[in-house]
Amino acid sequence: MENQSKTYDLFIVGGGINGCGIARDAAGRGLSVALAEMNDLASATSSASTKLFHGGLRYLEYFEINLVRHALAEREVLLTAMPHISWPMRFVLPYHKDMRFEGSTPTSRILNTVMPWMKGRRPAWLIRFGLFLYDNLGGRKILPGTQTLRLKGRPEGAPIEDRFEKAFEYSDCWIEDSRLVILNARDAEARGADIMVRTKVVSAARVDDLWEVTLEDGATGETSTLRAKMLVNAGGPWVGDIIQQKVRINSTEGVRLVRGSHIVTRKLYDHDKCYFFQGTDGRIIFAIPYETDFTLIGTTDAEHGEPEAKPECTDDERDYLIAFINQYLKEDITADDVVWSYSGVRPLYDDGASSATAATRDYTLKVDDAGGAPILNVFGGKITTYRKLAEDSMEKIVPFFPGTSGHWTAGVALPGGDFAVDGFEALVTRLAQEFTFLSPFWARRLVRAYGTEAWEVLGDAKDEAALGQSFGATLTEREVLWLCRNEYACTAEDIIWRRNKLGLRMNKDEVAALEGFLRSTPVDQLAKAAE
């Protein structure tokens, strides 16, 4: 493997959002950076989120004020840097007087003490006060504030039961989570980082004040060694395994693995707003417009075992989400309406919380340099605060590299995101005018995925035939090759579930054709750098 004789400043283990975010920040400050991911980028937690940049309204009940404030402030910082893969959304929170707290929250315990006659119910004034804090804690310039809705006769009231007469509407943002990871990795690489996918860290040891890292190529099985001045453990669910098994250092720090599952159904309503639903058990779920023709519902909170155990949405979790949303919908859904499900493991810092729901979503950063070369272990975190986590990580890293420059990432566009927040529709119109063979869905999909780089994907094509083989659902040979050459894609799953979500629209024969194309195309043609 090339670079085995090179000594890097930083070697990062883990190609999720935390690892790629730190790689981008560090490379942009002039540090030499290498990152290894044992599978595809964003193949675990970072592609299995609820896909929101949000402050975490419910975390206010746990008094996680700093977490919420930082997340709220980040929403607009991030939105301006990636308006193709992130956009504002309005959330509708239907209210009913019988809504209850999740019993273990600090807020519920206080209210049960001072207002015992409420018997665990959430009063409307408390929700409105929480939304007032939500509107003002982080500052807003782009996103509109909260308003109260009367649901009767409005589109927001049409799909839900008539007993819900009032709702609160507030703002958060959507994010294409796996694309966020890919774009951070690409930008890190453009700034000098070496990004190695399907490359497993076998071991790492301190040797002569450096880390000596042994790697295994996932395709060939060949091993190689490189050196780094500092190690960053951003292994997500595997962070504890890396500490204990790969670098073998003594540490009492650990993670609590919490599984969050989601289901996707046919489109359940006709407007473009999300719902924030509160259950009889006090928990909440979202129902979100998804990929034009679907609705995303989630999430659960369940303890998960070992990180090697593949997270899957269990029948019980699916049925829980169905029963939960059926408390609100006029027309019940069943398991037959579920077209896809996914599940991810959140590696939460183990703070001794009594339940998975109560465990902190904030991140914890720990440096160990007692044995020589330093290592930074990254615990927890939310996708909304990934950029702030990277900045805070650099605060821990910079002391070991005197003279390193300061913060720079706030508002700096990711690849394809160099246009105004309100410029998406104009970009779609321009693409459709220049490539007249594109359907409206196709044009929007390309701009949502690639922003201003959609023109690079299409190249000089004058008609659909010029894009090569068609795999269905608007996916063509030219786009596939672009993804392989520019975005580290290797398999059909990489392409149709992490670079986009066309797996929802493609049938088995179309997926098999894509797999056959990838197998039969020479590696050098797939990996050749784009002109």
Side-chain angles (χ1 to χ4, degrees):
M1 183 179 291
E2 62 179 276
N3 296 323
Q4 66 183 55
S5 62
K6 181 177 180 180
T7 298
Y8 292 90
D9 292 326
L10 288 186
F11 182 84
I12 300 171
V13 186
I17 188 54
N18 290 340
C20 291
I22 294 169
R24 179 193 185 221
D25 195 328
R29 299 183 195 224
L31 298 182
S32 59
V33 178
L35 178 148
E37 163 56 46
M38 63 181 176
N39 298 305
D40 182 27
L41 297 174
S43 57
T45 304
S46 295
S47 59
S49 75
T50 311
K51 309 182 194 310
L52 300 175
F53 279 153
H54 67 127
L57 180 60
R58 73 182 181 88
Y59 303 145
L60 289 174
E61 292 188 1
Y62 293 92
F63 297 161
E64 296 246 27
I65 304 299
N66 278 335
L67 171 65
V68 175
R69 180 168 56 83
H70 289 150
L72 289 170
E74 274 294 283
R75 295 176 305 174
E76 295 191 6
V77 173
L78 298 173
L79 186 60
T80 58
M82 54 196 81
H84 49 330
I85 62 169
S86 181
W87 56 92
M89 299 190 91
R90 294 290 279 173
F91 288 71
V92 176
L93 193 165
Y95 178 75
H96 190 273
K97 62 182 178 62
D98 290 330
M99 286 176 171
R100 297 186 177 275
F101 286 100
E102 200 276 321
S104 62
T105 71
T107 301
S108 68
R109 291 196 293 269
I110 291 172
L111 210 66
N112 286 340
T113 299
V114 301
M115 300 175 66
W117 60 89
M118 293 297 296
K119 298 180 179 179
R121 293 192 295 270
R122 279 186 177 100
W125 64 261
L126 184 67
I127 295 174
R128 190 64 187 84
F129 177 66
L131 287 166
F132 170 80
L133 293 177
Y134 207 72
D135 280 347
N136 292 284
L137 273 175
R140 290 178 299 105
K141 295 181 180 178
I142 299 172
L143 301 175
T146 298
Q147 64 180 23
T148 301
L149 299 180
R150 293 295 171 184
L151 293 172
K152 186 175 182 180
R154 294 182 60 96
E156 298 89 344
I160 61 176
E161 293 182 357
D162 292 337
R163 64 191 176 96
F164 298 102
E165 299 176 354
K166 181 171 75 171
F168 303 105
E169 182 180 297
Y170 67 96
S171 292
D172 267 322
C173 300
W174 175 265
I175 177 60
E176 300 284 2
D177 53 4
S178 53
R179 289 210 57 74
L180 175 66
V181 179
I182 304 303
L183 296 184
N184 270 271
R186 284 186 55 206
D187 202 50
E189 185 175 62
R191 298 174 190 276
D194 288 332
I195 306 295
M196 296 172 281
V197 298
R198 291 177 167 80
T199 303
K200 186 176 183 179
V201 174
V202 178
S203 64
R206 288 169 166 135
V207 178
D208 297 331
D209 293 324
L210 294 172
W211 283 101
E212 196 167 274
V213 185
T214 301
L215 305 172
E216 181 181 285
D217 187 301
T220 66
E222 295 179 358
T223 60
S224 61
T225 302
L226 56 75
R227 292 180 292 276
K229 298 174 184 177
M230 185 171 185
L231 205 65
V232 176
N233 174 10
W238 289 270
V239 64
D241 177 72
I242 291 167
I243 291 171
Q244 302 297 330
Q245 305 299 324
K246 299 294 192 290
V247 301
R248 295 184 176 88
I249 59 175
N250 292 322
S251 174
T252 59
E253 307 291 340
V255 293
R256 184 173 190 166
L257 301 182
V258 176
R259 186 177 64 253
S261 295
H262 301 75
I263 58 175
V264 176
T265 71
R266 58 181 172 79
K267 188 175 182 179
L268 297 180
Y269 52 87
D270 291 329
H271 59 81
D272 61 358
K273 297 178 182 178
C274 312
Y275 287 103
F276 179 117
F277 290 144
Q278 303 173 83
T280 54
D281 60 357
R283 292 204 65 252
I284 64 99
I285 63 169
F286 295 103
I288 309 172
Y290 188 57
E291 295 292 318
T292 307
D293 299 314
F294 305 93
T295 300
L296 172 65
I297 302 166
T299 181
T300 60
D301 275 317
E303 302 287 353
H304 192 73
E306 296 300 313
E308 290 77 14
K310 183 179 179 180
E312 294 181 343
C313 180
T314 65
D315 288 349
D316 284 346
E317 287 176 300
R318 177 203 63 199
D319 293 344
Y320 170 83
L321 292 172
I322 290 172
F324 197 137
I325 200 167
N326 283 345
Q327 297 173 39
Y328 281 82
L329 297 179
K330 287 178 180 174
E331 296 183 15
D332 286 357
I333 63 170
T334 70
D336 291 338
D337 293 305
V338 177
V339 298
W340 183 49
S341 66
Y342 67 89
S343 188
V345 176
R346 308 183 194 102
L348 307 180
Y349 183 66
D350 191 354
D351 61 354
S354 60
S355 71
T357 303
T360 182
R361 266 56 176 173
D362 213 345
Y363 53 82
T364 300
L365 309 171
K366 298 286 187 177
V367 172
D368 181 332
D369 61 349
I375 178 173
L376 171 65
N377 294 306
V378 180
F379 301 93
K382 282 165 47 67
I383 197 166
T384 310
T385 51
Y386 89 89
R387 192 198 64 84
K388 190 70 172 62
L389 181 150
E391 283 190 342
D392 289 350
S393 296
M394 292 306 300
E395 292 292 329
K396 302 282 189 181
I397 292 167
V398 163
F400 298 97
F401 301 95
T404 303
S405 58
H407 300 331
W408 67 273
T409 57
V412 176
L414 288 172
D418 50 338
F419 63 97
V421 170
D422 60 356
F424 173 77
E425 294 296 342
L427 214 59
V428 173
T429 298
R430 182 157 69 89
L431 188 73
Q433 289 173 344
E434 294 183 27
F435 298 91
T436 56
F437 57 87
L438 296 176
S439 67
F441 169 82
W442 195 351
R444 293 182 71 84
R445 182 183 75 78
L446 290 175
V447 176
R448 274 292 176 224
Y450 308 112
T452 56
E453 292 189 321
W455 279 261
E456 291 185 26
V457 175
L458 295 171
D460 59 358
K462 302 301 182 187
D463 53 33
E464 186 172 347
L467 299 176
Q469 184 175 347
S470 173
F471 300 103
T474 73
L475 182 66
T476 64
E477 179 179 338
R478 183 170 293 189
E479 184 176 356
V480 168
L481 290 174
W482 196 90
L483 290 169
C484 292
R485 293 168 179 173
N486 294 276
E487 295 199 350
Y488 320 99
C490 296
T491 69
E493 182 180 341
D494 297 348
I495 292 168
I496 66 173
W497 290 115
R498 284 184 287 278
R499 304 312 182 275
N500 55 60
K501 291 295 183 289
L502 292 179
L504 287 167
R505 301 175 182 277
M506 295 172 66
N507 61 43
K508 291 181 180 180
D509 290 342
E510 290 168 336
V511 175
L514 175 59
E515 290 171 339
F517 172 80
L518 293 169
R519 283 195 304 267
S520 62
T521 303
V523 173
D524 61 339
Q525 291 185 32
L526 293 175
K528 181 183 176 183
E531 296 296 332

